[in-house]
Amino acid sequence: MFSPPNCTVIPSSAPSDAGIAGAGVLISSSLTATIALLISASLILQSTLSPHSTSRPSTIRRKLLASYSDQQILIGITLQSLGLARSSHIIPYHFFIIWMLSLLSMATHNATLLALVQDFKRDWVLRWMRQGLMFVNLALSCVYGVVVLEGKRKGWEGTMPVGCIWAADSVAGSVEGEDKKVAAGGLDYVGTIVTIAGNVVVFGLATWYLQSRRQKWYRIVQLVGMLLMMGIAVGAAVRVFLLSQAFGKPDVQLSDQGEKQLGFGSLLGLLMMALPVISIIEIKRGEVMVAPPLRDDASDDEKPLV
């Protein structure tokens, strides 16, 4: 995993990786994100349209949302960490898909933050745990953005490991007379830089939203932020599906069709989606007690900050 990359030979094709871009991974990630975003939107709309409603608090939806959001951000951090650890073997195609999946997980987690911020503020452990996960995800995403930007500057070698971009000047040649470098236009540079800067700005706003005791324009921030996060999530998901071998057309020649197969590893992500349902059943039966959500207009004494 940590061996140096082979940057002397440009392969004509690269092997697929179902653990990164397989059909099961993409379906489970996008489906989990969709469920979490829809629940977040329903909670925000409910609190906006009926702010003083006396109906039963939505404990079940909030618990389900928190579970799916935690899954998303942990999967995003894990994928990014493994991608960096395998940079001497992973190709730009898979590297870019990991980056897009991390943006999907970031958008899902931030949407959850918008909907459940009062619950997180009540428990300082939950609040700082999510703050830490947000920072780790931001740091990894920025590293990915810098690597992608450097690759676009020097020209990606589509079938060579990502680690070779730092030694791109020493790599020369072609395969059967065809240049394998993927040139980047000005729009690619701008898009990558805007994405990196946007991640930093969103992290700053999310930190303020999570840690601030008194917030102005609370409803506006919720609604605008929710629309923004849904836009980021949809954009990242569409980009991944169009680029993937399983559902679209990859920009690199792959030597096999492994990413189209639904093996055990690919199905494991789908099976993991059933775990939060078990907790929901326990809550419904009264076997597990969950504190009701705080009101959006709760006093400062009800929202302790440590």
Side-chain angles (χ1 to χ4, degrees), residues 22-90:
V25 175
L26 301 186
I27 292 174
S28 61
S29 296
S30 59
L31 189 57
T32 303
T34 300
I35 294 174
L37 288 170
L38 290 177
I39 295 176
S40 298
S42 69
L43 290 172
I44 291 175
L45 288 176
Q46 180 183 11
S47 62
T48 301
L49 299 176
S50 304
H52 305 292
S53 176
T54 58
S55 59
R56 186 177 181 181
S58 50
T59 304
I60 300 295
R61 278 185 295 162
R62 290 173 179 267
K63 180 65 176 178
L64 194 62
L65 174 58
S67 299
Y68 282 138
S69 174
D70 291 343
Q71 278 190 19
Q72 275 285 292
I73 196 166
L74 290 175
I75 289 175
I77 291 174
T78 302
L79 276 177
Q80 290 180 93
S81 301
L82 291 177
L84 290 176
R86 297 180 55 199
S87 61
S88 59
H89 301 284
I90 193 173

Side-chain angles (χ1 to χ4, degrees), residues 20-275:
I20 294 176
V25 175
L26 301 186
I27 292 174
S28 61
S29 296
S30 59
L31 189 57
T32 303
T34 300
I35 294 174
L37 288 170
L38 290 177
I39 295 176
S40 298
S42 69
L43 290 172
I44 291 175
L45 288 176
Q46 180 183 11
S47 62
T48 301
L49 299 176
S50 304
H52 305 292
S53 176
T54 58
S55 59
R56 186 177 181 181
S58 50
T59 304
I60 300 295
R61 278 185 295 162
R62 290 173 179 267
K63 180 65 176 178
L64 194 62
L65 174 58
S67 299
Y68 282 138
S69 174
D70 291 343
Q71 278 190 19
Q72 275 285 292
I73 196 166
L74 290 175
I75 289 175
I77 291 174
T78 302
L79 276 177
Q80 290 180 93
S81 301
L82 291 177
L84 290 176
R86 297 180 55 199
S87 61
S88 59
H89 301 284
I90 193 173
I91 61 175
Y93 159 71
H94 293 126
F95 196 82
F96 185 78
I97 285 182
I98 291 177
W99 193 32
M100 290 296 102
L101 290 177
S102 74
L103 294 180
L104 179 63
S105 69
M106 178 207 70
T108 303
H109 186 267
N110 287 337
T112 302
L113 175 63
L114 290 168
L116 304 183
V117 64
Q118 304 296 0
D119 296 352
F120 296 156
K121 284 186 174 184
R122 177 176 50 194
D123 190 332
W124 69 271
V125 175
L126 292 179
R127 187 173 70 254
W128 285 105
M129 180 181 70
R130 275 159 177 78
Q131 183 71 71
L133 291 175
M134 287 161 55
F135 178 77
V136 172
N137 197 43
L138 172 71
L140 291 172
S141 182
C142 287
V143 171
Y144 269 70
V146 170
V147 173
V148 170
L149 191 63
E150 180 70 6
K152 292 181 179 297
R153 186 181 71 84
K154 291 186 175 180
W156 288 113
E157 294 285 355
T159 57
M160 296 192 71
V162 170
C164 291
I165 67 170
W166 307 111
D169 295 336
S170 64
V171 179
S174 60
V175 178
E176 297 179 357
E178 296 183 3
D179 188 5
K180 290 296 180 179
K181 286 193 175 182
V182 179
L187 187 60
D188 289 331
Y189 286 111
V190 174
T192 304
I193 294 173
V194 168
T195 301
I196 298 173
N199 285 342
V200 176
V201 171
V202 168
F203 172 78
L205 293 175
T207 299
W208 164 79
Y209 187 75
L210 179 61
Q211 301 294 346
S212 176
R213 179 181 290 269
R214 298 185 181 275
Q215 298 169 351
K216 298 181 180 179
W217 312 299
Y218 178 77
R219 295 297 180 193
I220 297 177
V221 171
Q222 273 192 324
L223 294 174
V224 174
M226 189 66 217
L227 291 176
L228 177 61
M229 291 305 108
M230 292 186 74
I232 293 175
V234 171
V238 170
R239 188 73 178 92
V240 166
F241 274 82
L242 292 178
L243 185 63
S244 67
Q245 182 193 64
F247 302 99
K249 184 178 181 180
D251 59 359
V252 65
Q253 181 65 36
L254 299 178
S255 59
D256 56 78
Q257 302 291 317
E259 294 176 6
K260 295 183 178 182
Q261 307 300 321
L262 285 173
F264 175 76
S266 299
L267 292 174
L268 186 60
L270 293 172
L271 296 176
M272 291 291 290
M273 294 181 62
L275 291 181

